[in-house]
Amino acid sequence: MKKVYKNIICPVCGGACDDIEVEIDSEREEIVVKNTCKMGAAKFKEVYSHHRIRTPQIKKDGKFENASWDEALNKAAEILANAKRPLFFMGSETSTEAMRVGLSMAEYLRGVADSNSTI
């Protein structure tokens, strides 16, 4: 099944290109990206990369094991809820929408938000 997404904001270099078009064929696991530079196209094509972890994993007895999405989300919530001062690191290739969520979570949990600007 093919889906086309238009007017996506590119998260790569900070140029905020906002006219990206991405066509995803989930059956063939193929992506066509338009209106991007090479770096932007590569980032969007990572969705179907062979080295991308597609199944959530939880560490049990020192080893990572596959988990359901519900189990992984509950574990992440538990870790964050029990943290004294969690660090939310906003990488340079994070979308503005994801950064907004991360900043809201850091504020709510009285954590610390940081970014590549400190490196």
Side-chain angles (χ1 to χ4, degrees):
M1 181 169 88
K2 287 186 181 182
K3 286 188 177 182
V4 177
Y5 301 89
K6 296 182 178 187
N7 299 322
I8 298 172
I9 300 170
C10 185
V12 177
C13 73
C17 298
D18 63 358
D19 62 343
I20 311 303
E21 186 174 311
V22 179
E23 181 180 306
I24 298 176
D25 184 337
S26 58
E27 291 173 7
R28 297 176 62 185
E29 293 191 351
E30 290 182 349
I31 294 180
V32 175
V33 184
K34 297 177 182 174
N35 302 330
T36 62
C37 65
K38 288 182 180 182
M39 291 189 315
K43 177 52 83 177
F44 285 103
K45 289 181 180 182
E46 284 290 311
V47 170
Y48 287 116
S49 173
H50 65 88
H51 67 270
R52 181 175 181 211
I53 298 172
R54 297 187 189 183
T55 303
Q57 298 181 336
I58 293 178
K59 202 172 202 179
K60 294 180 182 177
D61 299 322
K63 295 181 180 179
F64 284 102
E65 295 181 8
N66 288 345
S68 70
W69 284 103
D70 284 341
E71 185 181 10
L73 289 170
N74 286 335
K75 184 66 175 178
E78 176 187 321
I79 290 169
L80 287 171
N82 291 325
K84 291 180 182 174
R85 194 150 170 86
L87 170 63
F88 290 81
F89 186 78
M90 310 297 172
S92 63
E93 295 183 8
T94 304
S95 70
T96 54
E97 295 86 356
M99 285 187 185
R100 181 177 182 183
V101 170
L103 290 170
S104 295
M105 289 174 65
E107 184 177 332
Y108 180 80
L109 294 168
R110 295 188 174 139
V112 176
D114 198 1
S115 69
N116 288 7
S117 64
T118 60
I119 296 174

